[in-house]
Amino acid sequence: MAVIDANPAALDLQYELRRRRYVKMGLIWLAVIAFVAWCVNGTIIEDTDWSRIGGRSGVLSSIGRYLSLDLGLLPELLIPTLETFMMASVGTVLGCFLSLPVAWLGAANVTPSKTILYPLGRFLMVLSRSVHEIVWALLFVSAVGLGALPGILAIAMRSVGFISKISAEAIENIDTKPVEAIRAVGGSQFQVMYYGILPQIYPVVLATVIFEWDINIRRSAVMGLVGAGGLGLLFFRQMNSFNYGGVTMVILAILFLIIIGEIISHYLRKAVI
């Protein structure tokens, strides 16, 4: 068997390139660690009132106050839990209806005007996703007052961005042959949309709506923090009254509601797919 002598110059070059790569990676990791340490020092070590915490015993005693459950709060949890669930459901349905025209405007292959209405549709998608649901809730609470209605409107407005964006992208990726066939026989724009486009995007849109409803259950659970009803409002009241056991009960109710939503959305997605 022939033995091939390695070129010493090639080996030296290979070792040098490997050494430089290791040095470069080491410098990058060193910079990352230094940046993280600087952030931790500025946001945690220097900005935390350690004397108020009281050391390890103070942290454990604070946690212990939340472990004593206030079982007397159970009867008061039923109506806010149902209100939170209905707020998420109604807000998702309303957001779905509002998303349809936005998706129609924001889909490049069906929009009536690519110069005016298409940018408008895309702007509405970005606007909906950019503003947090708590901010939407604050706006609607100031407009329509306290209660579940501002929470429903906030969830609907927050849902428009995600549902319409996914729907618009699904419309842009459809098979154009059925659409062309309907147009060739003189079909109207509504018939093109109803018979040529909707059957193709129906599974995607329905799965997106179910996923958004699952997310909206979590969103509706905190709407009450700004006066929009539901479990968030009860949570806010327990915090104001320093009822730590009641706070834990509300958190458990939110967890229960989210688990129920996860189970329902799981079976709904399986039925769609």
Side-chain angles (χ1 to χ4, degrees), residues 177 227 265:
K177 293 180 180 178
S265 62

Side-chain angles (χ1 to χ4, degrees), residues 12-44:
D12 292 341
L13 179 60
Q14 183 179 1
Y15 291 148
E16 180 65 20
L17 292 175
R18 185 179 300 175
R19 186 187 66 82
R20 291 180 181 178
R21 185 168 64 250
Y22 288 155
V23 171
K24 181 180 180 181
M25 291 300 299
L27 292 175
I28 292 175
W29 278 109
L30 184 62
V32 171
I33 293 173
F35 177 74
V36 172
W38 176 66
C39 293
V40 170
N41 180 71
T43 59
I44 298 179

Side-chain angles (χ1 to χ4, degrees), residues 97 194 261:
F97 280 108
Y194 189 79

Side-chain angles (χ1 to χ4, degrees), residues 95-119:
C96 181
F97 280 108
L98 294 176
S99 299
L100 295 178
V102 177
W104 178 53
L105 296 177
N109 56 340
V110 297
T111 183
S113 173
K114 289 187 178 181
T115 57
I116 299 176
L117 296 181
Y118 176 76

Side-chain angles (χ1 to χ4, degrees), residues 101-152:
V102 177
W104 178 53
L105 296 177
N109 56 340
V110 297
T111 183
S113 173
K114 289 187 178 181
T115 57
I116 299 176
L117 296 181
Y118 176 76
L120 175 62
R122 289 290 171 172
F123 171 75
L124 293 176
M125 296 178 193
V126 174
L127 176 64
S128 173
R129 299 197 312 273
S130 300
V131 181
H132 196 272
E133 56 267 15
I134 294 296
V135 179
W136 283 119
L138 286 170
L139 294 175
F140 287 116
V141 164
S142 63
V144 301
L146 302 176
L149 179 59
I152 292 173

Side-chain angles (χ1 to χ4, degrees), residues 109-251:
N109 56 340
V110 297
T111 183
S113 173
K114 289 187 178 181
T115 57
I116 299 176
L117 296 181
Y118 176 76
L120 175 62
R122 289 290 171 172
F123 171 75
L124 293 176
M125 296 178 193
V126 174
L127 176 64
S128 173
R129 299 197 312 273
S130 300
V131 181
H132 196 272
E133 56 267 15
I134 294 296
V135 179
W136 283 119
L138 286 170
L139 294 175
F140 287 116
V141 164
S142 63
V144 301
L146 302 176
L149 179 59
I152 292 173
L153 296 176
I155 290 174
M157 292 302 298
R158 189 65 174 82
S159 302
V160 167
F162 182 72
I163 297 176
S164 60
K165 181 176 176 57
I166 300 298
S167 302
E169 292 179 353
I171 293 174
E172 292 177 346
N173 293 325
I174 62 171
D175 184 7
T176 59
K177 293 180 180 178
V179 175
E180 293 173 355
I182 296 174
R183 287 175 177 170
V185 297
S188 63
Q189 186 65 29
F190 174 78
Q191 291 173 326
V192 169
M193 179 68 71
Y194 189 79
Y195 295 106
I197 297 178
L198 284 181
Q200 298 188 57
I201 68 172
Y202 174 76
V204 175
V205 174
L206 189 56
T208 303
V209 172
I210 294 172
F211 180 71
E212 187 69 10
W213 172 76
D214 186 17
I215 296 175
N216 285 338
I217 292 179
R218 296 163 176 78
R219 291 172 177 162
S220 61
V222 297
M223 285 291 140
L225 295 177
V226 293
L231 287 170
L233 181 59
L234 185 60
F235 179 87
F236 182 73
R237 290 173 177 171
Q238 299 306 310
M239 287 293 293
N240 279 349
S241 60
F242 299 100
N243 184 11
Y244 301 103
V247 170
T248 305
M249 291 297 295
V250 176
I251 292 175

